[in-house]
Amino acid sequence: MTTPAVLQPLIAAPRRVDVGAVERELADLWRAAAESSGAEGVVLTRARTLTLLAYGATPEGAARLGEVVLQTSQRHPARSILLVTDPDQPALAAEVTASCRTVRRSHKQICSEQIIVRAAPDQRDRIPSVVRNLILPDMPVILYWPAPDPSDPFFQELREVADRVIVDSAAFPDRGLDALPARGLLRDTGEDAPLGDLTWGRLRLWRGLTAQFFDPAQGDALDRIRRVRVAHAASTRVQALLYAGWLAARLRWTVAQPFAPGSGPWRATLTDQRGHAVTVSLHLESRAPHPAGALLSTMIVAGAGPGGEGDATFSIGRNDDAGAVIATAEGESGPTTRQALPLEAQDEASLLAVEMDVLGRDRIYEEALRTAAALLGQS
Amino acid sequence: METLLSDRLREGLRLRRHPGPCAVVIFGGTGDLARRRLIPDLYNLARKGLLPAAFAVVSFARRPLSDEAFREQVRQSVEESPDIPFDAAVWETFADRIHYVQSEFHDRAGYDRLQAVLADLDGRMGLGGNHLFYLATPPSAYHEIINLLGASQLAGRARRAGDVGGTEGWTRIIIEKPFGSDLETARALNWRVGEVFDETQVFRIDHYLGKETVQNLMTFRFGNTIFEPIWTRQYVDHVQITVAESGGIAGRGGYYEEAGVARDMLQNHLLQLLTLVAMEPPTAIEADAVRDEKVKILHAIRPYAAEEVAAAAVRGQYAHGAVDGRQVPGYREEERVAPHSVTPTYVAGRFEIDNWRWAGVPFYLRTGKRLPKRVTEIAIQFKVPPLLLFRQAGMEEMEPNVLTLNIQPDEGISLRFAAKVPGQATRIRGVNMDFNYGTAFGVEEPTAYERLLLDAMVGDRTLFARRDEVELAWALMMPILDAWAAAPPSDFPNYEAGTWGPDAAKTLIEGDGRRWRRL
């Protein structure tokens, strides 16, 4: 998020209430807050642009998720409903609270409300009916569940309520060549809530810089790409795979030879629209501590052209010392450019907030995911 | 096919539009506007990744500076910009793309040097021969710069026609206000510009139009079905447009003595806002479709007859007083202001639009310096309900609904309506329903200049003034300026700094049975 602000709880501690009394308790909370703020000369505004559902399978996981969800309210004032499976919970219970941020240079406070629904593991199936009762009428509903099991009926039921489901591909366990469980969430029928992915957001800067290389002055080089090299940090290949899948899908390359298992770099061969071979390789590098699976560098090499154009190299590198990503285009005969952009905030809350900007289907992501799966030999 | 593929890479990146390779050449690049606003905003666009990889800034100015010395000056400005985060790595690659050409504006040789620099940058960086000239100089330099851009064949018409070495690419020019100081000088400037550039190359900038709320005005009106049907004389009683500034003339006494408030604000900012509020729905949100509708409104505004000016337009000048708890000098005590100056610093006027939609609905416009606060807003005041149903509540009249579009400092929209106070008795009170940009969208807004610079780079002229627009606005100003020149005020200064203007402004609107909004 661009303007981090301090969030302050509206009340000292969440209020425990019966699940049937949540709305009434919230109304009381807002009435009391309006009265006290008026006396203090503060203008309090309850803002709600959507309902955000988030699920934590454990109380600890849910507590962390609660913080993430809370931070997104700075960009997307929402009613957030945190769903928790809690073995210490006898049945089903709820808590309500609210948090506010002060608008810069004013006496205004913008507040969002949070509801926590706790269920004993054997009571989890009751949660969806509670959710249906608490979502804001006629407002978008977003479900954030970092790594769901697509076959879990509980997930499926929540997905039916949501207008969009956001996952984090990098949060699924890395399973080698079966490394894209998010692909399983993409159904071809288009009936389910569209899918978003925090890992897709992690690539935004890299995709933008890659696209910038090929502004019209260098546009013809796209037809001459022969090699793509992607280096990534340890733990997961998902970012690198999605980047390669995105590039291949956008440039309409088809997979001729998918990645094969092995201990060294992964290599695949694709075919461009003119029938030329393009080699794509993924390299695990451990130069310094980096976020799991983060892209470290990319290099796109274009061959000589029929019009006398020389080889050209388009490189992007992560420079942690400078806190920047640096993009360089160099050609034997063509122009040279170099530009740096600051490394974007890639914490979970920032990525989720950006992903929540989109409410419909993200066709580009879906195509990238499908092509990345094809690179793994999956359909 | 190449273009198609490069466009495919752009898909889904959630950028509105992306400019292609280009150089921005700023005439007056060491001046206040360039150092404090334009170059920091260009840097900020670079920081956000909104500039193309192949991009250069060339400053053309009189001071003898090297590239390095100029970069250092600009770096300081960027670092001092309160709203722009400084990033050393971004700055390093941005600074590499800043260049400096030292020249007098009237020196032809300087333009030849500029041409050589641009040719070199085109070759090294692949700028595609795309050049955007920005006139950020005093207006007195416009004519000679435009002449020499034409004479040195930098202006583009010849280049576009392929007459100079077959170079392809576009050339555009941004011209800062004021576009002339009266109708005659505006026409002369436009004629000069037209001699050298096609109108399609010309971007007359009024930074007010780059503000989010001003753009949102069109979305609000034409993207919702519920407001446009009541946006007529049948429902609207009157409209108030206020551009209030708490500041003074900020050391610009020399300019302000010549310009005064009507030329500085009314002819451009306020009339632009008026046209956006009053225009008919355009056939598309495209440059000429929108500007055609704005021009129709300017045609429909009833010009003042000379004898009407005194009753319909009020002028004022501030005396010393207190603003925000601080004592401030009167206008005549400001630097480079004549001790007996009759330059107005405040204007309020009533404008009538003679068309089917607005006949009989007055538009009250006011703007001034050293008013109590800095605020810009457009308020649409609706008629009161036709029948008073709540007499038993002790009400003799209902409060009108007011729709307010706040442009600064807090951008947003507010609707005032009547509501019953809870309880047994029928008591009615006006309440505000507020939409605030900062509340609903917690995202960083681009500055007006960032938006407009990008628009010019992509060639979108929707938010820039067209030649006929500028001349029509001046034509509406001339009766006021002429009448004021013919009858210098005898009561200046006539309002105290920190107040809402002269008493005559109050009389102007209260004489119509209305009152200024208390802001």
Side-chain angles (χ1 to χ4, degrees), chain A residues 2-3 45 47 49 74-75 77 101 103-105 108 110 200 204 207-208 210-212 214-217 219-220 222-223 246-247 249-252 273-274 322-324 335-342 354-355 357-358 362-364 367, chain B residues 1-14 18-21 45-55 83 87 89-90 92-94 96-97 122-128 409-410 434 436 438-444:
Chain A
T2 50
T3 48
T45 305
T49 57
Q74 295 186 49
R75 183 165 174 142
R101 69 177 164 92
V103 177
R104 210 162 46 133
R105 295 191 293 258
K108 289 181 187 167
I110 310 303
W200 182 238
R204 192 172 58 153
R207 289 187 288 130
T210 304
Q212 274 197 354
F214 302 102
D215 279 327
D220 61 344
L222 284 172
D223 281 332
W246 165 74
L247 195 61
R250 300 327 307 144
L251 298 181
R252 296 187 168 123
Q273 283 186 290
R274 299 183 178 201
T336 297
T337 60
R338 184 168 172 269
Q339 68 171 334
L341 290 184
V354 170
E355 203 54 39
D357 288 347
V358 180
D362 187 341
R363 187 175 53 82
I364 309 301
E367 287 179 18
Chain B
M1 178 147 72
E2 291 81 359
T3 306
L4 183 64
L5 284 178
S6 61
D7 281 352
R8 281 178 61 82
L9 285 179
R10 289 275 180 193
E11 283 182 271
L13 282 169
R14 304 181 202 169
H18 57 277
L45 288 172
R47 188 184 63 83
K48 295 175 186 172
L50 296 175
L51 291 183
F55 177 81
D83 298 323
D87 184 301
V90 175
E92 187 200 334
T93 54
F94 182 72
D96 285 346
R97 299 187 271 174
D122 282 343
R124 279 196 293 120
M125 301 185 71
L127 300 179
D410 292 324
D434 292 329
N436 182 292
T439 306
F441 308 111
V443 294
E444 189 182 353

Side-chain angles (χ1 to χ4, degrees), chain B residues 273-401:
Chain B
L273 296 179
L274 184 156
T275 57
L276 285 168
V277 173
M279 73 180 191
E280 293 297 315
T283 52
I285 303 296
E286 289 172 2
D288 276 332
V290 171
R291 297 189 300 180
D292 284 346
E293 296 305 332
K294 288 162 69 186
V295 162
K296 283 184 201 165
I297 289 295
L298 290 168
H299 275 296
I301 295 175
R302 192 186 306 162
Y304 289 130
E307 65 275 13
E308 291 172 330
V309 170
V314 169
R315 57 185 154 167
Q317 186 191 76
Y318 63 86
H320 74 274
V323 177
D324 223 3
R326 189 169 50 89
Q327 289 294 322
V328 296
Y331 176 72
R332 291 176 175 180
E333 295 138 33
E334 300 271 14
E335 229 178 281
R336 282 180 285 171
V337 169
H340 301 290
S341 171
V342 292
T343 300
T345 60
Y346 177 96
V347 61
R350 179 181 56 239
F351 290 84
E352 302 278 350
I353 300 174
D354 289 333
N355 69 10
W356 198 263
R357 185 188 286 260
W358 295 115
V361 178
F363 282 66
Y364 297 98
L365 276 52
R366 61 174 166 166
T367 179
K369 295 210 173 284
R370 290 289 187 219
L371 300 184
K373 59 163 80 162
R374 174 175 168 265
V375 57
T376 298
E377 66 153 47
I378 299 164
I380 319 288
Q381 184 158 320
F382 291 90
K383 293 181 176 175
V384 292
L387 194 61
L388 191 59
L389 290 173
F390 301 100
R391 266 184 216 286
Q392 79 277 21
M395 298 196 68
E396 289 307 315
E397 61 176 12
M398 294 289 289
E399 274 190 63
N401 297 127

Side-chain angles (χ1 to χ4, degrees), chain A residues 9-28:
Chain A
L10 189 65
I11 52 177
R15 291 183 191 167
R16 290 182 72 88
V17 291
D18 183 81
V19 286
V22 166
E23 293 286 7
R24 194 176 62 234
E25 190 64 30
L26 280 170
D28 288 347

Side-chain angles (χ1 to χ4, degrees), chain A residues 1 198-206 239 291 294-295 318 343-351:
Chain A
M1 274 161 285
L198 300 198
T199 296
W200 182 238
R202 292 183 179 100
L203 294 176
R204 192 172 58 153
L205 182 61
W206 296 77
Q239 276 193 59
L295 289 195
R318 180 184 172 112
L343 276 169
E344 290 178 327
Q346 301 231 319
D347 58 281
E348 193 175 358
S350 299
L351 291 165

